[in-house]
Amino acid sequence: MRSLFLIGLAALLGAAPALAQPGSTLAQVRARGSLVCGADIGLLGFSQRDAQGVVRGLDADTCRAVAAAVLGDADKVTFTGGSRQQQLMALREGRIELAASNLTQTMARDVDLGLSPTAVNYYDGQGFLVPASPPVANLAGLDGKRICITSGTTTEMGLADAARRLSIQVTPVVVGDAASLAAAYREGRCDAMTSDISELLVLRQTGTTDPAAHVLLPDIISREPLGPLVRDGDSQWRSIVFWVVNLLLEAEAREITAANAEARKNDPSAIVRRMMGGMPGFGTPLGLADDWGFQVISQVGNYGEIYERNLGEGSSLKIDRGLNALWNRGGLMYPIPMR
């Protein structure tokens, strides 16, 4: 049985204008000369405007990587904001070509909403942030409490499922976006907030007056594989986005960086030379130039570089790679061979 959230979202999207007709998204992007990408603008580390107005973050760089692959220029991206619900609607209607907004890849989004998951660019899980005082030991300690949650996300269903499993009663306080989530929690309109752990870590730092006064509960109640979504019906475009994200991981695994991408065109490995455009044929199956991999890595960097500058030690967040490390370094990131 589907959750009320999914039923409601499907109904909302169903009431929207008709779906965009399947066609060549690649041709549309090239004709316009830019990629239109939906992002959760305002979420530090994933997609936030800097002092110069440039959108920075893991999701923003994912969009840039796609632009570099299809247009040869990572800066040819137009970012649109809005709630995640609004972004899913815009994607479904064809007003954006890609949604990279901390979106969990789920069966419902695939089969119910006419969207297609691509590759995972961040493994996460749903958690809870609470004030350190008075102490709360675990999720069961939130029985009878108000919990802030963002509308249009899979966390609504996760919270309801967890409450049923533990036989506790909670009151959801539903808000529109990450900024509203932090504000409601800060203003005392709820006793805890729930979201993906990465978002909670960001909001603890940026949305509270004293980050040390707030703690994550030990409970992780879901698996949240996050990654860009595309509109259903264009297999070429889905493949492009999938292989661009995979390239970021494969490049890290092969130690291809923005700094050495040019030199790696002459690498002893034929696979690396092909990935970097030093041999013909890499772009043909996707309808791209043969040097699309080189354009991505030279302009945006590999996955490790992207992670470190936005979320890792090179950022203010300093979030450990954890599950998002490569498979041979204790994580889940396992690129599919590009041969």
Side-chain angles (χ1 to χ4, degrees), residues 169-236:
Q169 296 292 323
V170 296
T171 301
V173 179
V174 182
V175 298
D177 54 24
S180 302
L181 184 69
Y185 176 77
R186 186 173 58 249
E187 293 163 6
R189 286 184 273 146
C190 53
D191 306 294
M193 61 175 166
T194 184
S195 187
D196 295 340
I197 291 172
S198 60
E199 184 168 295
L200 295 177
L201 290 172
V202 171
L203 296 181
R204 179 171 66 176
Q205 178 170 316
T206 62
T208 66
T209 55
D210 181 10
H214 306 271
V215 298
L216 286 169
L217 294 182
D219 306 79
I220 301 174
I221 64 170
S222 70
R223 298 184 304 275
E224 303 293 333
L226 310 180
L229 300 177
V230 297
R231 179 171 52 86
D232 210 359
D234 190 337
S235 60
Q236 179 193 37

Side-chain angles (χ1 to χ4, degrees), residues 13-270:
L13 294 176
L19 287 174
Q21 293 301 307
S24 176
T25 307
L26 176 60
Q28 176 181 313
V29 171
R30 284 177 168 166
R32 186 193 307 115
S34 67
L35 170 72
V36 183
C37 187
D40 190 4
I41 298 175
L43 185 60
L44 179 66
F46 289 89
S47 50
Q48 185 182 54
R49 295 193 188 279
D50 64 14
Q52 289 72 45
V54 179
V55 182
R56 306 284 187 189
L58 175 70
D59 284 336
D61 280 344
T62 299
C63 295
R64 288 192 177 89
V66 174
V70 303
L71 298 170
D73 189 340
D75 291 329
K76 290 185 176 179
V77 181
T78 300
F79 291 99
T80 65
S83 70
R84 289 174 182 134
Q85 236 177 17
Q86 290 170 329
Q87 289 177 47
L88 293 177
M89 187 181 296
L91 181 60
R92 181 177 155 98
E93 294 171 7
R95 291 183 280 117
I96 63 177
E97 287 91 32
L98 180 64
S101 188
N102 281 63
L103 291 164
T104 304
Q105 299 189 359
T106 67
M107 180 179 179
R109 284 175 173 164
D110 182 13
V111 302
D112 288 350
L113 301 184
L115 307 176
S116 287
T118 58
V120 175
N121 70 350
Y122 194 93
Y123 286 100
D124 213 334
Q126 184 176 348
F128 297 82
L129 189 74
V130 300
S133 180
V136 177
N138 50 39
L139 180 55
L142 294 179
D143 188 22
K145 303 296 186 180
R146 302 161 301 161
I147 301 180
C148 283
I149 194 165
T150 309
S151 65
T153 65
T154 57
T155 52
E156 290 185 83
M157 181 171 58
L159 175 60
D161 287 346
R164 281 193 298 269
R165 185 173 66 251
L166 295 173
S167 298
I168 62 175
Q169 296 292 323
V170 296
T171 301
V173 179
V174 182
V175 298
D177 54 24
S180 302
L181 184 69
Y185 176 77
R186 186 173 58 249
E187 293 163 6
R189 286 184 273 146
C190 53
D191 306 294
M193 61 175 166
T194 184
S195 187
D196 295 340
I197 291 172
S198 60
E199 184 168 295
L200 295 177
L201 290 172
V202 171
L203 296 181
R204 179 171 66 176
Q205 178 170 316
T206 62
T208 66
T209 55
D210 181 10
H214 306 271
V215 298
L216 286 169
L217 294 182
D219 306 79
I220 301 174
I221 64 170
S222 70
R223 298 184 304 275
E224 303 293 333
L226 310 180
L229 300 177
V230 297
R231 179 171 52 86
D232 210 359
D234 190 337
S235 60
Q236 179 193 37
W237 184 247
R238 183 201 170 277
S239 291
I240 287 171
V241 176
F242 175 88
W243 287 109
V244 166
V245 175
N246 193 78
L247 175 84
L248 299 175
L249 296 168
E250 182 73 7
E252 182 183 9
R254 294 182 179 273
E255 299 182 337
I256 308 170
T257 67
N260 70 20
E262 179 69 40
R264 300 296 292 272
K265 286 182 177 180
N266 299 311
D267 198 86
S269 166

Side-chain angles (χ1 to χ4, degrees), residues 247 250 254 256 264-265 267-279 282 336-339:
L247 175 84
E250 182 73 7
R254 294 182 179 273
I256 308 170
R264 300 296 292 272
K265 286 182 177 180
D267 198 86
S269 166
I271 292 176
V272 172
R273 291 201 307 276
R274 189 166 178 264
M275 286 171 56
M276 291 297 100
M279 294 174 62
F282 190 55
I336 296 175
M338 301 191 76
R339 59 175 184 261

